Amino acid sequence: MYTASDLRKGLKIEVDDVPYEVVEFQFVKPGKGQAMYKCRIKNLLTSNVTDRTFRAVDRIDKPDLEERDLAYSYPEGDHYVFMDNKTFEQLTIPADALGDQKHFLVEQIEVQVLFYNGKPIQVSLPAYVEKKIIHTEPGARGDTATNVTKPAKIDTGYEIGVPLFINEGDVVRIDTRTGKYFDRVSKG
Amino acid sequence: MLRAIRNFFSDRGFLEVETPIRQRAPAPEVHVDAEPSGSYFLRTSPELHMKRLLAAGYARVFQVGPCFRRDERGRYHHPEYTMLEWYRAHADYADILADTKALVAHVVREVLDKPEIVCQGCSVELLPLWERITVSEAFRQHAGWDPCDRFDEDRFDLDLVNKVEPNLPRNMPVVLTDYPKEAASLARVRPGTPPVAERWELYIAGVEIANAYSELTDAAEQRARFEHAMARRRELGKDVYPPDEEFLELMERMPPSGGIALGVDRLVMLLANAGSLDGVIPFRE
């Protein structure tokens, strides 16, 4: 249990059996009234943000959350298999817990997985991953403009926008937070 | 700022006073916690001593100085802050409102040289028309119920900060007035249906700046309210302060009066267009 005075940005709490993260909070105390904490909280399952005010006397549940570092091994149907490199335990994570992040998985990459009541709810990849372009139309010769993009397929079959000078076989860096091309690592 | 405040009051025949900062018996209020200082407490307000001066025959007194409230830290709260209080004998909360309008006008003229301020992202016209809205009206309009009819402390506090305060007009100062009798604190209750406490709060740009009363002068009623507040504090596991017997005794001689407490740091914050007290308090906790 937390007390309201434990509230701060980033704290993870449980409200009505749902895990939330506090994204904003403000101490308020109207004249002669009780101290309260006006919070903006993000639902960790849906990412929806709502407002919630806690009174100083309120007790707030602590969610059963565990964060683990896991290495990605291989896909298996609509699941993905990860390995805990400390315990060598294998864990299977369903595609929907990964969301769009699943397109950017690279073998042996370290990811952080957040478990809620033992179930994976959030997977954080490193900020940048390197991916090989397996298909893209050739760009016009000498065109190095970066504000114009063309579609390109990466090895997971996912399509991203890349600058015109990128060719098949090139390895590019992708920003996993935006899902966008960042720069070219090597030519194919 | 302080010079403008002092000039304003001395021009109007107010006596500047100093009262004890360390007190044996802070005013017992349910949600105001005093910082202990040895076997004393640091004052949360000079109110009870100012009222003793009223009872002793001083008809117009003001004080500006530090007050302390434990565990109050936020955008608009600092555990040590500067409070301005003034009291008038043979006056009520309406007279205090007239004083407040004149004071704010004077201070703004002296400090800023123009009658409007820009703060919290809005422009506020400070002179001289202030919006006056009763607690009943404000709650009916924004929260859908009337706390003066049937009071519910938790609902009142939550709806005040979530529904009422965010929706108060911001282009001019707002006086939220006539509180439920249960939220009277040290204010006189005016009989009626429903009875209401003669108390108002001033909001500028959505920030609470001052709290004023027609002062309660009925010692028996005051004792009952203190005891009620102490019982609630005991329930909540908070420090319980001894009753200020000397004050209760002198209260019999207190004339009908009006009084107010105004947060000086918050007013400075608004005039300086700072987003929080951190922008104007030079040495912070």
Side-chain angles (χ1 to χ4, degrees), chain B residues 18-255:
Chain B
E18 287 187 345
T19 58
I21 289 175
R22 293 181 343 126
Q23 303 177 335
R24 287 267 184 220
E29 298 195 54
V30 181
H31 299 296
V32 179
D33 297 334
E35 194 73 63
S37 168
S39 56
Y40 288 73
F41 293 94
L42 299 181
R43 67 180 180 191
T44 58
S45 152
E47 180 164 2
L48 301 190
H49 285 94
M50 300 288 275
K51 288 181 177 174
R52 290 190 209 189
L53 294 173
L54 286 173
Y58 294 92
R60 274 175 260 178
V61 285
F62 82 100
Q63 174 163 207
V64 54
C67 287
F68 306 84
R69 294 192 182 182
R70 202 167 79 201
D71 297 334
E72 297 194 5
R73 185 69 177 101
R75 203 166 154 196
Y76 305 137
H77 292 84
H78 192 264
E80 174 174 353
Y81 63 104
T82 302
M83 188 102 99
L84 165 66
E85 296 208 1
W86 73 92
Y87 293 82
R88 259 181 192 277
H90 309 293
D92 65 9
Y93 73 155
D95 301 298
I96 296 294
L97 181 55
D99 283 342
T100 309
K101 285 185 180 182
L103 171 74
V104 170
H106 173 80
V107 166
V108 170
R109 201 164 48 234
E110 292 290 304
V111 176
L112 287 188
D113 216 21
K114 59 174 188 204
E116 63 184 39
I117 54 171
V118 177
C119 54
Q120 315 280 323
C122 49
S123 170
V124 190
E125 194 76 41
L126 290 176
L127 321 160
L129 281 175
W130 291 8
E131 173 91 9
R132 183 186 169 281
I133 178 166
T134 65
V135 170
S136 279
E137 288 163 354
F139 271 75
R140 279 177 197 276
Q141 193 181 339
H142 302 299
W145 65 295
D146 185 351
C148 295
D149 275 343
R150 202 173 55 206
F151 190 66
D152 174 333
E153 189 194 359
D154 282 341
R155 194 176 171 202
F156 180 77
D157 286 347
L158 287 167
D159 283 355
L160 181 62
V161 298
N162 287 324
K163 296 178 179 169
V164 176
E165 287 182 353
N167 288 307
L168 294 175
R170 297 199 170 204
N171 56 339
M172 63 174 88
V174 177
V175 174
L176 190 60
T177 189
D178 297 354
Y179 277 68
K181 66 179 194 310
E182 294 83 356
S185 197
L186 283 81
R188 181 172 80 195
V189 172
R190 184 172 66 227
T193 23
V196 289
E198 290 194 338
R199 167 186 168 201
W200 56 257
E201 292 253 5
L202 169 62
Y203 288 86
I204 300 179
V207 181
E208 183 195 323
I209 293 294
N211 176 53
Y213 304 140
S214 296
E215 301 296 347
L216 178 67
T217 50
D218 178 338
E221 166 73 15
Q222 185 68 78
R223 182 182 289 279
R225 287 194 204 171
F226 280 177
E227 278 166 6
H228 176 74
M230 283 301 104
R232 283 282 289 137
R233 288 187 67 87
R234 204 169 285 120
E235 274 171 34
L236 294 168
K238 292 168 172 257
D239 284 343
V240 178
Y241 314 127
D244 189 337
E245 291 296 345
E246 215 173 316
F247 164 71
L248 288 168
E249 201 175 299
L250 284 168
M251 202 177 188
E252 305 287 356
R253 276 185 266 153
M254 203 174 122

Side-chain angles (χ1 to χ4, degrees), chain A residues 102-139:
Chain A
K102 66 175 183 252
H103 306 300
F104 308 124
L105 288 170
V106 178
E107 210 177 299
Q108 284 314 313
I109 200 178
E110 271 247 321
V111 301
Q112 279 187 334
V113 183
L114 187 65
F115 291 86
Y116 173 58
N117 293 334
K119 271 171 60 186
I121 58 165
Q122 207 182 72
V123 179
S124 312
L125 268 58
Y128 300 98
V129 294
E130 292 176 7
K131 281 288 187 190
K132 191 174 210 163
I133 301 298
I134 57 160
H135 177 73
T136 188
E137 298 296 332

Side-chain angles (χ1 to χ4, degrees), chain A residues 101 104 158-161 174-181:
Chain A
Q101 301 281 67
F104 308 124
Y158 187 67
E159 210 169 77
I160 59 168
I174 297 168
D175 185 333
T176 61
R177 294 158 299 186
T178 60
K180 289 199 166 118
Y181 167 89

